[in-house]
């Protein structure tokens, strides 16, 4: 025991439902006094029951010194099944300090911040180079990316995901050129800047590592495609056609790469380590079975879900932008037919690929990407249609909508069919094959060969 003035003081460690609390109490204090103090400092809804480290209940009455409690003793606080709410730690004035945790609201706010950064970079690029507002905007975007990459704050898991958007927006504003043929190269430079910012943030061992990895892969891929196209001096519609095809194919191969189970949970390493001598001897005793811990399964699933969601966001952005730009850049009639066919089949491939996803957010993102491609196609096709064709298109859309309502009601009542599932697989393969084939038309290769041979 130590002394504080003339009073004997005991130093105790109390383990409870909200953590460990070190207390210094007088030796004359009772068990109920310690339990009350622990409840007050941890904001528990009630006064817990104290136990010794061996599980023996500590009597609530009587001095602790008489009960055999000495300095350094470990006590356990139990509420007896009462619900415990983590309200955060208490400040010096007794008030509660609420602890922020990443959640849906912080994810939405960071997504809005990323969109605002992209809009800011786009608006700053349209300003004159001598404009002070343009320079201030670029400086703010770069400073925000640098500060946001630091591993500080309780919401760093969501904040670092938006950091590459600020770096890419700043690079877009710096490298902007009004010439339309240079837009793919400018976007490639922006993607590279976003990838570099994601790599820098990833070096700090940030919790959003999966999303940062997607930023790196997507940014570098866009830069390589646009950079090679600029070196080869090809039309920009080639870039958009290739990116649209890559986005469609990525929707099929992302789940294969996303779920990475450690090898020790899949392979029996003891059986693999067989040598000439160990194969001859008979092992004694029962062989220990490999048990996969529940925490490891949860970590693998959570990591795969984050990676798939981030990849589907990249597919949505790249696929929709590529579809819009491809339809805008293709002007020759043969190229325009190929561009419309590629957008049609790529949108269908994305919609059919979404059905194989069991993650709700990723499935919704892929469906939005597919519908975005079809919406861009409708916007490009409808103005050139006549009244009769528009009427046929309207009646066809109504018929398809009614059919989808019936299918949705049947699926909601538990209707499933392996026959339809196989047909959907075949339809997805057909869409993918036709999208790859239409690339020759959409990129202008067929037109170039036609001109050379003609």
């Amino acid at each position: 025991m130590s002394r504080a003035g003339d009073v004997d003081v005991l130093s105790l460690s109390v383990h409870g439902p909200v953590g460990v609390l070190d207390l210094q109490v007088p030796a004359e204090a009772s068990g109920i006094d310690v339990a009350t103090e622990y409840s007050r400092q941890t904001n528990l809804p009630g006064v817990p029951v104290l136990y010794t480290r061996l599980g023996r209940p500590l009597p609530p009455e009587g001095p602790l010194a008489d009960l055999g409690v000495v300095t350094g003793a470990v006590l356990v606080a139990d509420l007896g099944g009462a619900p415990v709410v983590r309200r955060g730690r208490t400040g010096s004035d007794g008030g509660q300090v609420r602890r922020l945790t990443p959640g849906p609201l912080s994810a939405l706010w960071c997504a809005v911040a990323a969109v605002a950064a992209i809009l800011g970079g786009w608006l700053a690029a349209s300003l004159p180079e001598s404009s002070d507002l343009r320079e201030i905007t670029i400086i703010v975007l770069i400073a925000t990316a640098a500060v946001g990459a630091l591993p500080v704050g309780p919401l760093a898991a969501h904040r670092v995901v938006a950091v590459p958007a600020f770096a890419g927006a700043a690079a877009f504003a710096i490298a902007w050129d009004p010439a339309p043929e240079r837009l793919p190269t400018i976007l490639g430079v922006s993607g590279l800047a976003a990838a570099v910012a994601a790599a820098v943030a990833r070096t700090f061992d940030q919790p959003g590592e999966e999303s940062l990895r997607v930023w790196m892969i997507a940014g570098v891929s866009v830069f390589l495609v646009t950079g090679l196209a600029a070196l080869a001096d090809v039309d920009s519609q080639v870039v958009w056609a290739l990116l649209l095809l890559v986005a469609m194919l990525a929707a099929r191969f992302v789940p294969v790469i996303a779920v990475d189970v450690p090898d020790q949970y899949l392979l029996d390493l003891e059986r693999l380590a067989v040598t000439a001598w160990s194969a001859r001897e008979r092992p004694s005793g029962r062989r220990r079975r490999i048990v996969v811990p529940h925490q490891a399964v949860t970590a693998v699933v959570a990591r795969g879900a984050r990676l798939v969601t981030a990849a589907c966001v990249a597919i949505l952005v790249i696929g929709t932008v590529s579809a819009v730009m491809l339809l805008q850049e293709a002007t020759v009639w043969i190229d325009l037919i190929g561009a419309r066919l590629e957008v049609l089949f790529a949108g269908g491939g994305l919609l059919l690929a979404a059905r194989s996803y069991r993650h709700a957010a990723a499935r919704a993102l892929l469906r939005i990407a597919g519908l975005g491609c079809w919406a861009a196609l409708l916007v490009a096709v409808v103005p050139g249609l006549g009244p009769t064709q528009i009427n046929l298109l309207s009646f066809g859309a109504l018929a398809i909508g009614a059919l989808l309502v019936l299918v949705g009601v049947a699926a909601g009542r538990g209707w499933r069919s392996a026959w339809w599932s196989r047909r959907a697989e075949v339809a997805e393969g057909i869409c993918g094959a036709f999208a790859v084939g239409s690339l020759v038309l959409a990129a202008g290769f067929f037109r170039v060969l036609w001109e050379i041979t003609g």
Side-chain angles (χ1 to χ4, degrees):
M1 291 186 293
S2 60
R3 291 186 174 273
D6 297 329
V7 181
D8 293 333
V9 177
L10 299 177
S11 299
L12 309 174
S13 294
V14 183
H15 292 247
V18 294
V20 183
L21 183 64
D22 295 329
L23 296 176
Q24 285 188 339
V25 299
E28 290 78 10
S30 61
I32 191 63
D33 296 332
V34 178
T36 303
E37 182 64 19
Y38 179 84
S39 174
R40 186 185 68 83
Q41 294 197 25
T42 57
N43 299 317
L44 289 179
V47 178
V49 178
L50 296 182
Y51 296 86
T52 64
R53 63 178 181 177
L54 299 179
R56 180 174 57 86
L58 190 68
E61 304 296 338
L64 294 176
D66 297 342
L67 298 176
V69 179
V70 296
T71 295
V74 177
L75 302 178
V76 179
D78 182 27
L79 279 174
V84 179
V85 180
R86 284 184 177 270
R87 301 180 182 176
R89 54 187 178 86
T90 57
S92 58
D93 57 350
Q96 295 180 2
V97 180
R98 294 191 176 275
R99 188 172 301 170
L100 296 176
T101 56
L105 184 59
S106 61
L108 177 61
W109 181 252
C110 292
V112 172
V115 173
I118 295 173
L119 291 177
W122 178 57
L123 294 176
S126 61
L127 296 175
E129 294 185 1
S130 59
S131 175
D132 295 336
L133 182 59
R134 179 176 181 271
E135 296 180 358
I136 293 175
T137 303
I138 294 174
I139 293 174
V140 170
L141 290 174
I142 296 176
T144 304
V147 175
L150 299 177
V152 294
L155 304 180
H158 291 161
R159 187 190 67 243
V160 294
V161 179
V163 165
F166 287 85
F172 182 84
I174 294 174
W176 171 252
D177 191 285
E181 61 274 8
R182 296 182 181 177
L183 180 59
T185 305
I186 296 173
L187 292 178
V189 172
S190 303
L192 181 62
V196 171
V200 172
R202 192 167 176 259
T203 57
F204 293 112
D205 194 17
Q206 297 280 23
E209 186 268 341
E210 295 84 6
S211 301
L212 295 177
R213 184 183 302 180
V214 172
W215 269 109
M216 294 168 57
I217 295 175
V220 172
S221 300
V222 172
F223 174 74
L224 289 178
V225 173
T226 56
L228 292 176
L231 293 176
D233 194 19
V234 298
D235 295 335
S236 57
Q237 66 186 63
V238 179
V239 176
W240 306 123
L242 286 175
L243 289 178
L244 179 59
L245 183 63
V246 169
M248 185 200 67
L249 296 177
R252 170 53 62 184
F253 295 108
V254 160
V256 180
I257 306 173
V259 180
D260 184 15
V261 182
D263 293 340
Q264 62 268 23
Y265 299 142
L266 298 176
L267 302 177
D268 191 345
L269 300 181
E270 295 180 2
R271 286 191 176 183
L272 291 178
V274 176
T275 61
W277 292 104
S278 62
R280 295 177 182 177
E281 65 173 346
R282 295 180 178 272
S284 60
R286 294 185 62 185
R287 196 174 146 273
R288 185 179 61 183
R289 297 181 61 187
I290 298 177
V291 179
V292 180
H294 182 268
Q295 294 81 0
V297 177
T298 304
V300 170
V301 172
R303 176 184 174 277
R306 292 191 297 267
L307 190 57
V308 167
T309 304
C312 289
V313 172
I315 292 172
L316 169 62
V317 175
I318 295 177
T320 305
V321 173
S322 299
V324 173
M325 297 304 300
L326 177 61
L327 294 173
Q328 182 178 353
E329 292 293 332
T331 54
V332 182
W333 67 272
I334 188 65
D335 298 347
L336 184 59
I337 293 176
R340 291 177 177 178
L341 289 176
E342 183 178 358
V343 172
L344 174 65
F345 292 120
L350 290 173
L351 288 173
L352 292 171
R355 49 174 288 278
S356 61
Y357 281 67
R358 292 298 175 263
H359 193 271
R363 185 167 61 246
L365 289 170
L366 288 182
R367 287 174 177 172
I368 294 173
L371 293 176
C373 293
W374 283 3
L377 181 60
L378 287 177
V379 171
V381 171
V382 168
L385 298 179
T388 304
Q389 295 171 333
I390 292 178
N391 292 333
L392 292 177
L393 182 62
S394 302
F395 286 120
L398 291 176
I400 294 175
L403 179 61
L404 291 178
V405 169
L406 295 177
V407 173
V409 172
R413 292 179 177 177
W415 175 76
R416 296 292 186 271
S417 175
W419 187 88
W420 284 108
S421 179
R422 291 193 298 269
R423 297 306 180 272
E425 291 287 345
V426 174
E428 183 181 352
I430 291 175
C431 286
F434 283 177
V436 174
S438 60
L439 175 66
V440 180
L441 290 175
F445 296 150
F446 186 82
R447 174 176 51 83
V448 173
L449 293 176
W450 196 0
E451 293 175 352
I452 292 176
T453 57

